Amino acid sequence: MNELALAAFAAHTDSHLVHAPRGERFARFARSFDSNAYLADLERRGLRWVARSSPHFPRALGAIFDAPAGLFLRGLGELELLERPAVAIVGARSCSTYGSDVARMLGRELAAAGLVVVSGLARGVDGQAHRGALEAGGITVAVLGCGVDRDYPAAHAELAARIGEQGLVVSEYAPGVEPAPWRFPARNRVIAGLTQATIVVEARERSGALITADLALEEGREVFAVPGEITSALAAGSNRLLRNGATPLTCAEDVLEAFGIEPEPATAPPEVGETAARVLAQLELEPAGADTLARALGLDAGEAAAILTELELLGTVSERDGFFRAVRRLG
Amino acid sequence: MNELALAAFAAHTDSHLVHAPRGERFARFARSFDSNAYLADLERRGLRWVARSSPHFPRALGAIFDAPAGLFLRGLGELELLERPAVAIVGARSCSTYGSDVARMLGRELAAAGLVVVSGLARGVDGQAHRGALEAGGITVAVLGCGVDRDYPAAHAELAARIGEQGLVVSEYAPGVEPAPWRFPARNRVIAGLTQATIVVEARERSGALITADLALEEGREVFAVPGEITSALAAGSNRLLRNGATPLTCAEDVLEAFGIEPEPATAPPEVGETAARVLAQLELEPAGADTLARALGLDAGEAAAILTELELLGTVSERDGFFRAVRRLG
């Protein structure tokens, strides 16, 4: 089968196809399809194609029951990196500060440990997971539900470019294919398929991330869910996964253990003064505003503000709306 | 064996005893011990005693491997209520707002469904679980690590009195026995022993609540853990329990299901206006300050404040330090 013709035909007919359709229409398309011209055009645009039948097609993805006809690739990363141990980090687009922090920390720590971090380039959890991996100087792969020539979402165009500097932006859809809601569940099976484990960071009920998790389970891959507060609608889906038997993820080491990777000895926490240490300990119990913190610890407002700024710069505290939370307990 | 003499001897020697010690000292004590006078004194003080060997001793507690010699009882509740289906709700003393809210909701909803709510009368999670059960007009039992004549902690004296109006305050320790740290792990086995399931709401690493959970598991009882944020030190112990195989608790129904209790059809949420509903939906995603909320939803500050007050009065929102969170998603 000419898989490239199939991918081009799917784009042409705005459909999702993993097997050649019977009937005259595709046959006619395939007969007139000029693979060499198509590939030359891809190359001219800095894009690549790997067919499902190629020995270079990622084995983990080839093993799923409805593997795509092939993958279009953008970016400078070697195709070989899709064979490395990889983990998917997925979750809500409108995530909370907690979900955002955790996605970024997991991206950073798992990439630092040598895992390829795969996600969907979406806003929220996806974007933070990619960013975390880039921060660690690690490899990350974005799987799109549209052509790899599209920057979707537009706000992540620069992020996509940075991903492509060492990693890859991939899609089963040919260049030019527009994003469409019905393509995202299909895209999610590629995310699950490329990886040995899927992490759901924060997900509402009926979230797309749960589809990724289901697909991962169906393919016998590991699924982790990050516990969240049961009063949060944003954690309803991820906590439901825990109910359904997903492995609770409490720190990056839980994932590394599943990959048989010996975690690096924990780096010593940044040195801070005694008062800053008290502030941090308090925030590890519960997020708080600066005034409450100052009162609780008997500090004056200026001192508390200075310490919070210091801790923010060290990356051990994050702030939103004047509310501070500890962020560095993972890993 | 004279179990009452044993309990009195343990109090006399400030020790923990579940079996009669060999040796002359106890034998001498037991010979001179006047059970009738002791029981008359208890009765005069409105207290009761049930020995381990009595047919009225709670069967679930009698089944544990180191069942206490007996229980001292305070309160108007019938002894029979210790035979009813019961659930322990335990957790951190210095809990977060989240832990406090969840403990209270679980106490309320599980008691409303007919379960006896057992806890330890401590500050934090314990106290909130008792209060929730009382709010529902349900039965709750406090298990003390000191004599039932002691109000420990003192701040919970009134709570203990309210528990005793329909429920019971119980202890294996004789009246007069002082609270001591080494008694609390022993007390925890009574909490686990009286119940078919133990819920850990929020617990640090090395929390006493984890001891209760371990004891429950050893006795083949069910253990639930409430998921919490992995960045919170207060959830480290409860999330660790999830890692170790505890059942994730996402709503009261998860517990009722384990008891084979058909949950009541969900009561309709309180009727609120359209704007209030938007505020609530936003808070279900993430706690926020009034200003942030108003900005996010395009409300003026006065309107936002009025709506938040309304939602607080309805019990659907709780406030701390100017930060609001949704509280009514359980059940």
Side-chain angles (χ1 to χ4, degrees):
Chain A
M1 179 175 78
N2 185 339
E3 287 142 335
L4 183 57
L6 181 60
F9 180 73
H12 183 68
T13 54
D14 200 29
S15 55
H16 178 84
L17 294 170
V18 296
H19 299 293
R22 293 156 198 246
E24 190 45 33
R25 193 171 173 209
F26 173 63
R28 208 161 45 226
F29 182 92
R31 276 194 302 272
S32 67
F33 182 72
D34 184 342
S35 288
N36 290 337
Y38 196 101
L39 288 169
D41 183 56
L42 279 184
E43 193 178 347
R44 193 178 46 74
R45 300 167 71 185
L47 307 178
R48 286 172 279 168
W49 159 258
V50 56
R52 182 171 57 202
S53 59
S54 159
H56 301 296
F57 190 77
R59 270 172 299 172
L61 183 58
I64 72 172
F65 105 97
D66 53 353
L71 284 180
F72 294 91
L73 315 173
R74 161 185 163 200
L76 303 175
E78 298 293 329
L79 183 53
E80 165 279 325
L81 63 83
L82 298 179
E83 298 292 349
R84 298 190 201 165
V87 63
I89 303 179
V90 296
R93 286 190 297 277
S94 312
C95 64
S96 70
T97 312
Y98 168 66
S100 170
D101 286 351
V102 169
R104 192 145 182 166
M105 282 189 292
L106 288 174
R108 190 168 57 227
E109 303 201 6
L110 296 175
L115 295 181
V116 173
V117 170
V118 178
S119 194
L121 198 68
R123 289 181 297 115
V125 165
D126 287 19
Q128 291 296 82
H130 290 303
R131 285 193 190 94
L134 292 173
E135 271 168 18
I139 299 294
T140 182
V141 171
V143 182
L144 305 189
C146 56
V148 291
D149 57 333
R150 291 292 311 260
D151 283 315
Y152 183 82
H156 282 178
E158 194 205 328
L159 179 59
R162 286 169 54 216
I163 290 169
E165 287 170 14
Q166 293 194 68
L168 289 168
V169 176
V170 309
S171 176
E172 69 182 297
Y173 300 117
V177 168
E178 298 286 329
W182 57 267
R183 292 194 210 277
F184 290 98
R187 183 273 306 267
N188 291 348
R189 90 189 190 292
V190 177
I191 293 178
L194 281 169
T195 59
Q196 287 75 53
T198 291
I199 299 168
V200 177
V201 170
E202 195 172 51
R204 294 164 183 262
E205 296 277 14
R206 289 180 294 279
S207 154
L210 303 183
I211 298 175
T212 314
D214 280 347
L215 294 164
L217 285 174
E218 278 168 21
E219 297 295 340
R221 316 284 166 95
E222 177 119 24
V223 172
F224 291 91
V226 175
E229 297 190 343
I230 63 173
T231 48
S232 163
L234 279 166
S238 27
N239 284 336
R240 164 90 34 200
L241 273 181
L242 292 178
R243 288 282 302 166
N244 293 346
T247 305
L249 188 165
T250 61
C251 58
E253 281 74 10
D254 293 343
V255 180
L256 297 181
E257 194 182 287
F259 278 87
I261 298 174
E262 197 69 40
E264 296 282 310
T267 52
E271 292 264 337
V272 296
E274 192 194 334
T275 313
R278 282 171 60 217
V279 168
L280 197 55
Q282 182 68 28
L283 290 179
E284 280 176 356
L285 297 182
E286 186 164 21
D291 289 352
T292 311
L293 256 184
R295 261 200 314 279
L297 300 176
L299 308 176
D300 72 48
E303 189 181 6
I307 286 172
L308 286 167
T309 305
E310 173 197 349
L311 292 174
E312 257 193 285
L313 291 173
L314 287 170
T316 58
V317 157
S318 80
E319 181 269 345
R320 182 167 156 185
D321 298 336
F323 227 61
F324 296 85
R325 49 166 67 234
V327 295
R328 190 59 89 72
R329 280 187 55 83
L330 287 176
Chain B
M1 179 177 76
N2 185 338
E3 287 143 336
L4 184 57
L6 180 60
F9 180 73
H12 183 67
T13 55
D14 200 29
S15 55
H16 177 85
L17 293 170
V18 296
H19 298 294
R22 293 156 197 248
E24 189 46 33
R25 193 172 173 205
F26 173 63
R28 209 162 45 229
F29 182 91
R31 275 194 303 273
S32 67
F33 182 72
D34 184 343
S35 288
N36 289 337
Y38 196 102
L39 288 169
D41 182 56
L42 279 183
E43 194 180 345
R44 194 179 45 74
R45 299 167 70 186
L47 307 178
R48 287 172 280 167
W49 158 258
V50 57
R52 181 171 58 203
S53 59
S54 158
H56 302 296
F57 190 76
R59 270 171 300 171
L61 183 58
I64 72 172
F65 105 97
D66 53 352
L71 284 180
F72 294 91
L73 315 173
R74 163 185 161 200
L76 303 176
E78 298 293 328
L79 183 53
E80 165 277 326
L81 64 83
L82 297 180
E83 298 292 349
R84 297 190 202 166
V87 62
I89 303 179
V90 296
R93 284 190 298 277
S94 312
C95 64
S96 71
T97 312
Y98 168 67
S100 170
D101 285 351
V102 169
R104 193 145 181 166
M105 283 190 291
L106 288 173
R108 189 169 57 226
E109 303 201 5
L110 296 175
L115 295 180
V116 173
V117 170
V118 178
S119 195
L121 198 67
R123 287 182 296 113
V125 165
D126 287 20
Q128 291 297 83
H130 290 304
R131 284 193 190 94
L134 292 173
E135 271 168 18
I139 300 294
T140 183
V141 170
V143 182
L144 305 189
C146 57
V148 291
D149 57 333
R150 291 292 311 261
D151 283 314
Y152 184 81
H156 281 178
E158 193 206 329
L159 179 59
R162 285 169 54 215
I163 290 169
E165 287 170 13
Q166 293 193 71
L168 289 168
V169 176
V170 309
S171 176
E172 69 183 296
Y173 301 116
V177 169
E178 299 285 329
W182 58 267
R183 292 194 209 279
F184 289 98
R187 182 274 305 269
N188 292 348
R189 90 189 192 291
V190 177
I191 293 178
L194 280 169
T195 60
Q196 288 75 51
T198 291
I199 298 168
V200 177
V201 171
E202 195 173 52
R204 294 164 184 263
E205 296 276 14
R206 288 181 295 278
S207 154
L210 303 183
I211 297 175
T212 314
D214 280 347
L215 295 164
L217 285 174
E218 278 168 22
E219 297 294 341
R221 316 284 167 95
E222 178 119 24
V223 172
F224 291 92
V226 175
E229 297 190 343
I230 64 174
T231 47
S232 164
L234 279 167
S238 27
N239 283 337
R240 164 89 36 198
L241 272 180
L242 292 178
R243 288 282 302 167
N244 293 346
T247 305
L249 187 164
T250 62
C251 59
E253 281 73 9
D254 293 343
V255 180
L256 296 182
E257 193 182 287
F259 278 87
I261 298 174
E262 197 69 40
E264 296 282 310
T267 52
E271 293 265 336
V272 295
E274 192 196 332
T275 313
R278 283 171 58 217
V279 168
L280 198 54
Q282 182 68 28
L283 290 178
E284 279 177 356
L285 297 182
E286 187 163 23
D291 290 351
T292 310
L293 256 184
R295 259 200 313 280
L297 300 176
L299 307 176
D300 72 48
E303 188 181 8
I307 286 173
L308 286 166
T309 305
E310 175 198 348
L311 292 174
E312 256 194 286
L313 291 173
L314 287 170
T316 59
V317 157
S318 80
E319 180 270 343
R320 183 169 154 183
D321 297 337
F323 226 61
F324 296 84
R325 50 166 67 234
V327 294
R328 190 60 88 73
R329 279 188 54 84
L330 289 174

